[in-house]
Amino acid sequence: MSDGGAASAVPTLYAWAGGAQALARLTECFYARVRTDALLGPVFERMSAQHPSHVALFLGEVLGGPRAYSEAHGGHPGMLRHHLERHLTEAQRRRWTDLLLDSANEVELPSDPEFRSAFVAYVEWGSRLAVINSQPGASVTLDGPMPAWGWGVPGGPYRPET
């Protein structure tokens, strides 16, 4: 039974966010905040100049964009390796989340409830996973697939009634 193409017309979160340029603006804004943050600055003090662009590629792929992070940086296992033995705390995770969401507002990522719900859900899930995987002796599976995040329960982009 066909849905008349309605499902294929729903954009990915990546496309809805504004694609590569929007995610690059997001990560540049975010890591500028991180560099000067008392709690997170020390965690990222050795961050390379390319770090924001690498994270933008990762986010893009997770949100349904091109496989650029997997092709250039080793996919999800590559990202997991960056968190091993980092001893991240819940306080750091919460600050990371707050700064990322503040940055999303600043660079004007879409603010509709469906997009933000899906975006926040990924940020919460991914940041909590990073904390778990960063602990000493964490049992981490390094051969898993790249997460693929979609619209989730809300069912797709917000469309106000006209």
Side-chain angles (χ1 to χ4, degrees), residues 89-155:
T89 67
E90 174 60 14
Q92 290 168 326
R93 185 200 72 77
R94 289 188 61 174
R95 180 72 55 84
W96 192 92
T97 299
D98 289 346
L99 293 180
L100 186 61
L101 297 179
D102 289 346
S103 298
N105 291 338
E106 184 175 326
V107 302
E108 299 179 340
L109 284 190
S111 62
D112 60 272
E114 285 77 7
F115 174 79
R116 285 300 176 102
S117 174
F119 184 70
V120 169
Y122 173 70
V123 169
E124 280 289 323
W125 179 84
S127 64
R128 289 174 187 278
L129 186 63
V131 169
I132 291 167
N133 291 334
S134 75
Q135 301 310 307
S139 177
V140 180
T141 303
L142 290 174
D143 60 356
M146 179 67 88
W149 218 258
W151 289 100
V153 175

Side-chain angles (χ1 to χ4, degrees), residues 45-117:
E45 66 188 354
R46 294 185 181 154
M47 174 176 57
S48 74
Q50 295 78 30
H51 187 80
S53 64
H54 294 174
V55 174
L57 292 176
F58 183 83
L59 284 173
E61 187 169 339
V62 167
L63 299 178
R67 293 183 35 84
Y69 188 87
S70 287
E71 291 169 3
H73 304 289
H76 197 238
M79 181 61 77
L80 288 173
R81 284 184 186 93
H82 290 295
H83 294 96
L84 299 178
E85 300 293 328
R86 300 285 281 175
H87 308 93
L88 301 174
T89 67
E90 174 60 14
Q92 290 168 326
R93 185 200 72 77
R94 289 188 61 174
R95 180 72 55 84
W96 192 92
T97 299
D98 289 346
L99 293 180
L100 186 61
L101 297 179
D102 289 346
S103 298
N105 291 338
E106 184 175 326
V107 302
E108 299 179 340
L109 284 190
S111 62
D112 60 272
E114 285 77 7
F115 174 79
R116 285 300 176 102
S117 174

